[in-house]
Structures are given as C-alpha cells and as structure tokens.
Amino acid sequence: MAGEAKQSQSEIDGVQYRRAKTWQIILVACNALTGMSVYSLIGMASYSASVGYGITTAVVGVILTCTRILDGVTDPLVAFLYDKVDTKFGRLRVLLVSGFVIEAAALLAMFDFMSSKGFGWVVFTLLYVVYVIGYTITNMTGQTFGAIMTNDPKQRPIIGVWGTAFNYLVPMVLSIVLNMVLLPKYGGEYNQGFLSAAVWVTVLTGALGILLVSIGISAYDKPEYYGGVGRQETLKLKDIISVLKGNKPLQCYIAAQASDKIAQQTASQAVITTMLSGILIGNMGLGTMLSVIGMAPSIIFAVIGARYAGKCGSKNAIVTWTKICMVVAVLMFLFFVVIEPSTIAVMGPSMILYVVFTLVLNGSKMCVTTAASSFMADIIDYELDRSGRYVPAVVTGTGSLIDKLISSFSALIATGAVALIGYKHTVPQPGEAATAAIFWMTMAIYFGLPMLGWAVTLIAMKFCTLDKEEMINVQKRIAEKKAAARGR
C-alpha cells in the first residue's frame, strides 16, 4: 500500500512476526522522560500542599489518598475513551498529547501559578484531580505501544530493556538537577521558589519526551496497527467481576503487586527520603549520587532477571528474587542499627557497604518487576484458556484498578507516619537534627513495610499454580482450541 510504513519481518517457529526498528524502540522508550519526570515531581506534592496552600500534613495524606483512588477508577474509564478516539491524525498521538497537555497545565498551576497565592485545600485538590485525569490518559495510552509495535517474542524484551534503562536514568538525572543544582539555590529547603523551578524543569522534560515518542510511534499510529491488538472487547462491569472472581492467578498477582507497590511508594515519598538522606545520612546530594551509582547495575540485573524468568518461569522468578530482596533488606536494617548513619556521607567502609547493599537491593527489586511484567502476560493467556475470551484490557484494567485502590494509601501512611513523630503542621526538612523517633520511623517505613509486602507476595504465590509447567499446558490447550475453531 502506498505510503504505508514498511516494517521488517522475522520468522520464528513458522510464524511471521512484526518487528520495529531500533530507533523507533528507543524513541518510544523516551516516554520515560514524561512519566518518570512527572513521577519525580509528584512525590513532592506534600511539600506543595504544605508550602503553597497551607494544608496540614494529616489533611495532605487524606487528599493524596483519595486522589490516588480516583486514579485507579479512571483506568478502566480511559479504556472506553481509547477505543472511541479515531482521527485523521491517528489515535495514539492524539491521546498522548492531549493527556500531557492536561496534566502539564494542572501541575504548573498546582506548583507555580496558583501556589502561595492564598488558595486552600479545595483548589489544590481540584488541580490534583485534573492532573490525575491527564496522567491516566497518557499512561494508559503508553502501555499499548509495545504490543502495537512488535509481536516478535525476541524483540519485545528489548523494548523492556530500553524502558528499564530510561526509567532509571531519567529520575536519577532529575534527582541530581533538583537536589544538587536547584535545591541549594533556594536555601536547601523545599520552599516556593524551589517548587516553581522544579515544575518547569519537569514539564519541559516531559514535553521533550512526548515529542520524541510521537515521532517514534508515528508509523504505527494507524488503524491497521492499533485496531488489531487482540480482539476488541467492550469493557463492562460484569466483565471485571467475572475475571476477578474466576482468575485465581490474577488474584494472587494483585495481592503481590499491591502489597509491594504500597510499600515502595510509601518509602519513595519525599518526606521519607528526606528523613533518610537529608536527616539521618545528612546529605541530600550524596544520597542522590549513591542512587545514581546503582543505575547501571540495576539494568544489568533486569537483563539477568528477564533471562531467569524465561528459563524458570515468571512465578518462580518472582518468588526467588523476592526472597533475595528480603535477605538484603534485613542486612541493610541491621547495618543502619549498628553504624552511625551519618558516617555514610564520608568516604569509608560505611559508604562502601551502603552502596553495595543498595545496588543488590535495587537490582533484585528490578528482577521482581521484570518477572511480574511477564507474569501479567501469562495471566492474560490463562484467562483465554479459562474463559475462551481474549480480553487483555479487562485483565490489565482489573489488576490496575485494585492495585491502585490498595496502594493509594501510601501517601496517607507516609504523612501519617511523620505526623506521629511530631510533624503535624510542618514537614521534615534536610539538615534537621536526627532523633531516635526519626530513625526508627524511617527504618520502619523504608525496610519494615517492604518486608511485610514481600511476605504477602510469597504467601500469594503459594496459592498460585501458574508456574512454567502449567503455562506450557495452557499454551497447548489454547492451540488446540484455536485449531478446533478453524476446523468448524
């Protein structure tokens, strides 16, 4: 067909697979410029609420929790919108750009234009809701890119590797810019001047990401590509209930993912990382640099984790790497108890051990994430075998909805935790004196909560029978059903 993008093909096991070009994969992976830059900024929402809108710490937690629940509810709603959009400019770029414009406008107003202007919690909440809507449109659209660009089983992991690389690189670079360049210019505190500068850096970075992604996905932004991603199903409430009740591996996945995510998101809240790096270790910039050091090893871990999952199965990979995470977390906790945390900021044995522990823990977490991603694909195939329907949007939408409803309490837990140790009307700031209360609360959130989440994961996986051997049987049954359908 004239004007149609010509894609390279590969034949594996007698199947003609669609393959994307390397430069297209790289540009689409730049979606992390948008997603992770916004993620880095929104972690400071509690500071914006406190500094710019005079909202108390406890109320901030409630607002962020409620808006996170809204974020989960909007996921299946956007699935309806996704199927309805069909313009002469395509679907993917229209949704991607529209969603970003909405979230960018909300973030600029929240952190700059309307911040410190005398507005209160109502305006802050409304702006956060608008941000959630825009973010959901952009994020849900981006999740479909991999399936649309290629169906080659050897190439799809490459997309994951590039995505992992950017997902680590972008927040690390932004952390350096925000904490080591901008923060010192504004007195080392999260004041209004810093927040205004931070939002502009974030929005401009996100806009660059949208531009690059739009170029990379343009050849596939046509109905012959996005219209053929599985069989199009109308998302209904009865579909969600049916999948959730009948798909036991999905239930196990939700329990594992939600427990892990609520722990990780709570620990990554700015008020918690400030207590760890800015107060206990005593150097926000050094804490950021130590995180940057772990970027390359984590990517290597991701590759190792992908290979392990392919060899032993996704479920077994989740269990193995979760156990490793638990062991390393216990060792890090004991390490902090034995040493004086501030010595980490000085070149010596403490810093070296902290770096090593951080590398191994972050790498192991990445392996769990890699295995969980492939496990979701297994669950989609399991649903096809179980019900005879191919409904990936229903499966992923259901998982995302429940996941976010549970993990929505992360901000409330974080703000509630710091309120318990005295930060009822203010938030922790870098350079404050380290107290016993700050130390033990930081340890409980940073290590104790993830330990609880990993324990839930291991328990959930014991009730899941979808291991490598069962997946082979699932694929055989699917092939038999397809052959029987063709014969009728």
Side-chain angles (χ1 to χ4, degrees):
M1 183 180 295
E4 182 176 334
K6 295 182 179 179
Q7 308 302 325
S8 58
Q9 303 287 328
S10 67
E11 185 171 345
I12 303 174
D13 299 327
V15 179
Q16 280 295 115
Y17 287 111
R18 181 177 67 255
R19 290 178 59 86
K21 297 177 182 178
T22 301
W23 68 268
Q24 292 171 326
I25 293 175
I26 295 174
L27 289 184
V28 169
C30 288
N31 193 38
L33 286 173
T34 304
M36 297 311 295
S37 61
V38 171
Y39 176 81
S40 299
L41 177 71
I42 208 64
M44 295 183 285
S46 56
Y47 285 97
S48 176
S50 175
V51 173
Y53 300 86
I55 305 173
T56 62
T57 305
V59 175
V60 171
V62 174
I63 293 174
L64 296 184
T65 298
C66 292
T67 50
R68 176 67 179 173
I69 293 174
L70 174 66
D71 187 14
V73 173
T74 55
D75 280 354
L77 297 180
V78 170
F80 289 111
L81 176 64
Y82 185 91
D83 288 334
K84 297 294 184 182
V85 174
D86 191 9
T87 73
K88 64 179 182 179
F89 301 106
R91 169 185 296 175
L92 307 178
R93 289 168 295 176
V94 170
L95 288 170
L96 194 69
V97 173
S98 298
F100 177 73
V101 169
I102 293 173
E103 67 175 321
L107 290 173
L108 286 171
M110 185 193 311
F111 283 84
D112 187 10
F113 298 152
M114 303 184 75
S115 185
S116 297
K117 300 295 192 302
F119 297 104
W121 70 270
V122 174
V123 170
F124 176 84
T125 303
L126 290 175
L127 291 175
Y128 204 101
V129 168
V130 175
Y131 150 73
V132 166
I133 294 172
Y135 165 80
T136 302
I137 295 173
T138 302
N139 185 54
M140 290 291 289
T141 302
Q143 289 183 19
T144 67
F145 289 164
I148 290 174
M149 293 178 69
T150 177
N151 61 352
D152 189 331
K154 287 189 174 182
Q155 190 177 52
R156 279 185 173 174
I158 297 176
I159 296 178
V161 171
W162 279 104
T164 298
F166 280 109
N167 283 338
Y168 261 80
L169 179 62
V170 173
M172 295 305 175
V173 172
L174 280 176
S175 293
I176 294 175
V177 174
L178 296 179
N179 294 322
M180 299 183 66
V181 178
L182 286 182
L183 193 60
K185 289 185 177 181
Y186 294 95
E189 293 187 358
Y190 292 101
N191 51 38
Q192 183 56 56
F194 168 77
L195 294 174
S196 296
V199 70
W200 277 104
V201 170
T202 298
V203 169
L204 291 176
T205 302
L208 175 61
I210 293 295
L211 174 62
L212 295 176
V213 173
S214 296
I215 295 173
I217 200 65
S218 60
Y220 302 90
D221 198 2
K222 303 172 183 177
E224 56 261 36
Y225 293 110
Y226 58 70
V229 181
R231 192 181 74 194
Q232 300 303 302
E233 297 281 345
T234 301
L235 187 61
K236 300 178 181 178
L237 180 59
K238 65 178 183 180
D239 295 324
I240 296 177
I241 296 175
S242 174
V243 170
L244 186 59
K245 289 177 61 178
N247 195 318
K248 189 171 183 179
L250 178 60
Q251 298 170 4
C252 297
Y253 172 87
I254 291 173
Q257 284 295 101
S259 59
D260 285 353
K261 186 172 290 186
I262 191 173
Q264 292 181 21
Q265 289 186 350
T266 301
S268 66
Q269 293 292 312
V271 291
I272 303 300
T273 57
T274 296
M275 291 197 299
L276 178 67
S277 298
I279 297 179
L280 295 182
I281 295 178
N283 190 319
M284 284 291 290
L286 181 58
T288 301
M289 285 301 298
L290 292 176
S291 298
V292 172
I293 294 173
M295 182 185 67
S298 293
I299 296 173
I300 295 175
F301 265 92
V303 175
I304 296 173
R307 292 183 176 179
Y308 185 86
K311 179 180 179 180
C312 302
S314 301
K315 174 198 167 182
N316 290 339
I318 291 174
V319 172
T320 298
W321 290 105
T322 295
K323 290 179 179 178
I324 295 175
C325 286
M326 295 183 75
V327 172
V328 178
V330 169
L331 293 176
M332 288 193 74
F333 168 71
L334 295 176
F335 170 71
F336 269 90
V337 171
V338 171
I339 70 162
E340 168 55 48
S342 61
T343 60
I344 295 175
V346 181
M347 179 59 70
S350 294
M351 176 185 288
I352 294 174
L353 283 174
Y354 179 69
V355 171
V356 171
F357 282 138
T358 301
L359 296 183
V360 177
L361 182 59
N362 288 342
S364 300
K365 288 179 181 178
M366 179 53 62
C367 289
V368 174
T369 301
T370 301
S373 177
S374 59
F375 190 55
M376 172 52 77
D378 292 347
I379 293 172
I380 291 173
D381 287 340
Y382 175 85
E383 178 62 26
L384 173 59
D385 177 44
R386 185 188 74 88
S387 65
R389 300 180 303 162
Y390 186 63
V391 285
V394 175
V395 175
T396 57
T398 302
S400 179
L401 171 61
I402 305 300
D403 183 327
K404 288 183 178 179
L405 288 178
I406 296 175
S407 62
S408 62
F409 292 94
S410 59
L412 181 61
I413 294 174
T415 53
V418 297
L420 285 176
I421 58 176
Y423 292 97
K424 296 182 179 179
H425 302 288
T426 59
V427 286
Q429 293 286 355
E432 293 181 352
T435 64
I438 290 176
F439 176 83
W440 289 111
M441 185 58 75
T442 303
M443 294 298 101
I445 298 297
Y446 212 79
F447 298 115
L449 198 57
M451 287 289 292
L452 180 60
W454 291 323
V456 172
T457 295
L458 294 179
I459 294 172
M461 289 298 106
K462 281 187 174 294
F463 290 93
C464 180
T465 59
L466 197 60
D467 54 16
K468 182 179 180 180
E469 291 72 22
E470 177 59 19
M471 272 308 301
I472 293 175
N473 294 329
V474 167
Q475 297 297 352
K476 288 180 179 179
R477 290 193 293 266
I478 291 175
E480 291 171 357
K481 291 175 182 178
K482 287 183 177 180
R486 287 194 297 268
R488 287 198 293 268

